[in-house]
Amino acid sequence: MTPLTTPAPQSELPGRIMAREMAEQPAVLRRILDEGAPAIRKVAQEIAARAPRFVLLTARGTSDHAALYAKYLLEVRLGLPCGLTSMSTTTAYGARPDLTDVLVVTVSQSGGSPDLVASTRAAREVGALTLAVTNNPDSPLAGVSEYHVDIMAGPEKALPATKTYTASLLALYLLVEGLRCGDGAPAQVLPDLAAGLLARQEEVRALAARYRFAERMVITSRGYGYPTAKEAALKLMETSYIPALAYSGADLLHGPLAMVDNVSPVIAVVTDGKGGEALQPVLDRLRGRGADLVVVGPRSQVEQASAGFVLPTDGVAEEVQPVLEIIPLQLLAYEVTIARGQDPDAPRALAKVTQTH
């Protein structure tokens, strides 16, 4: 008898590319530490010698969240003022601010988006010191920048960025460490801890069952964890199509808290350190409202929530924890999407290189 359906070959299973690329992250992190760190340190030393007075960070999408992480690093670790650029002031309005002695860091996985290339070229023309952080040293963005950092993640084919995000975080951390003459030693634990997190996929799959039919999610954090919240929201939206709203814990209290109820889940990314301490009043308010609160963070915080995922944060420096925080949330986006019968490899209406101008 001929079966009514034939099982799909392994090469055609939904999400196989995203799953493979998530699994590559420990090796990518190790490659950056072992092979990429000397080149990053050299770039950092050359930039430090030119003593930039201000930093502007330029990016879009997932890379924008990596840039936000770099903003925290630069301001907290270096005391160097920095901001996130609005590219349309240059590309649409033709503004040409004086960027003498300003470091412009453009973060892009592909290095191919026209507006990133155009804004970086324009910044260099008005005096900026330009640095591209990409996964493609032969990209147009790397070509128009004075300096380049290769995140060494290897080809990324799934539309949702996973390994290039954590690689960007680590590369930016090492860059800032180089600028401050640090040795980057706190990052050495990341590859092994990342592998441990990926081995806990069954835990995440059980957590994903809570969200299969969710109509909306709120994700919140503070400090170094805030970029993680924004990246997690993006991953959930682009793979499962669930509207996911990311807020700084402080901003959540300024109005959006009113929409929180006991139906729509709230995911709190609790960094073990000052960011988590600053988030504590927000967690108390959420529990007081009876929110379906899920915590990704230290065990002590997870035990006080409705559910959660314990991160191995003991002895891990707060500033590198975001590299670990996002991994269970990538897995969550993947598992929720599979549970909803969709393919996380190929979200509708998206392309790998977004042609914004």
Side-chain angles (χ1 to χ4, degrees):
M1 178 180 295
T2 302
L4 295 177
T5 59
T6 301
Q10 185 68 28
S11 62
E12 297 177 8
L13 291 176
R16 66 180 179 84
I17 303 174
M18 183 179 177
R20 183 181 67 232
E21 291 173 351
M22 286 190 294
E24 291 174 12
Q25 289 177 106
V28 171
L29 297 174
R30 177 55 62 195
R31 186 185 309 135
I32 295 170
L33 291 169
D34 291 348
E35 302 173 25
I40 296 173
R41 188 180 304 113
K42 184 175 184 295
V43 168
Q45 289 170 345
E46 293 186 21
I47 291 173
R50 297 172 66 172
R53 61 183 173 86
F54 192 87
V55 181
L56 286 174
L57 295 150
T58 304
R60 292 214 187 275
T62 284
S63 294
D64 200 30
H65 307 148
L68 180 58
Y69 168 71
K71 183 177 188 293
Y72 277 92
L73 287 172
L74 287 160
E75 292 184 344
V76 175
R77 305 284 287 169
L78 282 182
L80 194 60
C82 62
L84 302 175
T85 62
S86 299
M87 279 174 279
S88 61
T89 62
T90 298
T91 59
Y93 291 94
R96 292 295 184 269
D98 181 3
L99 298 181
T100 304
D101 297 327
V102 173
L103 171 61
V104 172
V105 181
T106 307
V107 187
S108 171
Q109 298 148 42
S110 69
S113 185
D115 57 349
L116 293 170
V117 175
S119 64
T120 301
R121 182 188 294 113
R124 192 170 180 181
E125 290 171 353
V126 293
L129 170 61
T130 53
L131 166 65
V133 179
T134 82
N135 196 37
N136 183 1
D138 299 319
S139 64
L141 178 60
V144 301
S145 301
E146 187 171 353
Y147 294 101
H148 177 256
V149 164
D150 184 358
I151 66 171
M152 306 180 71
E156 188 172 61
K157 297 182 179 180
L159 285 176
T162 53
K163 64 178 181 175
T164 54
Y165 179 68
T166 49
S168 295
L169 296 187
L170 179 54
L172 288 163
Y173 169 75
L174 293 175
L175 175 72
V176 174
E177 282 294 284
L179 291 172
R180 63 187 293 271
C181 299
D183 61 7
Q188 292 296 327
V189 300
L190 295 176
D192 289 344
L193 292 178
L197 291 171
L198 288 162
R200 295 165 60 191
Q201 189 163 358
E202 288 295 330
E203 286 183 54
V204 178
R205 187 171 297 139
L207 197 59
R210 299 171 66 93
Y211 303 130
R212 181 177 179 182
F213 301 108
E215 296 182 359
R216 181 186 68 203
M217 293 188 195
V218 173
I219 307 176
T220 188
S221 188
R222 290 202 70 178
Y224 286 114
Y226 181 41
T228 306
K230 291 176 71 70
E231 173 61 10
L234 175 60
K235 284 293 157 284
L236 284 161
M237 287 189 287
E238 69 182 350
T239 57
S240 68
Y241 317 141
I242 298 173
L245 308 173
Y247 294 102
S248 156
D251 288 332
L252 184 63
L253 297 183
H254 284 268
L257 184 66
M259 71 177 174
V260 173
D261 52 31
N262 60 358
V263 176
S264 299
V266 178
I267 299 175
V269 181
V270 184
T271 303
D272 193 356
K274 293 181 179 179
E277 293 170 9
L279 189 64
Q280 189 60 53
V282 182
L283 300 176
D284 293 340
R285 290 285 297 277
L286 288 168
R287 282 190 286 263
R289 290 186 60 81
D292 178 10
L293 177 62
V294 173
V295 166
V296 175
R299 181 174 301 278
S300 60
Q301 292 290 347
V302 171
E303 289 173 348
Q304 299 179 55
S306 304
F309 186 95
V310 176
L311 290 174
T313 57
D314 288 348
V316 179
E318 181 178 3
E319 60 268 18
V320 300
Q321 289 178 34
V323 179
L324 304 175
E325 290 167 349
I326 191 58
I327 291 175
L329 294 165
Q330 292 172 344
L331 291 170
L332 181 66
Y334 171 88
E335 292 293 347
V336 169
T337 304
I338 294 294
R340 290 164 70 95
Q342 294 150 201
D343 184 357
D345 283 343
R348 62 195 181 203
L350 296 181
K352 190 62 180 172
V353 180
T354 304
Q355 299 292 322
T356 45
H357 295 271

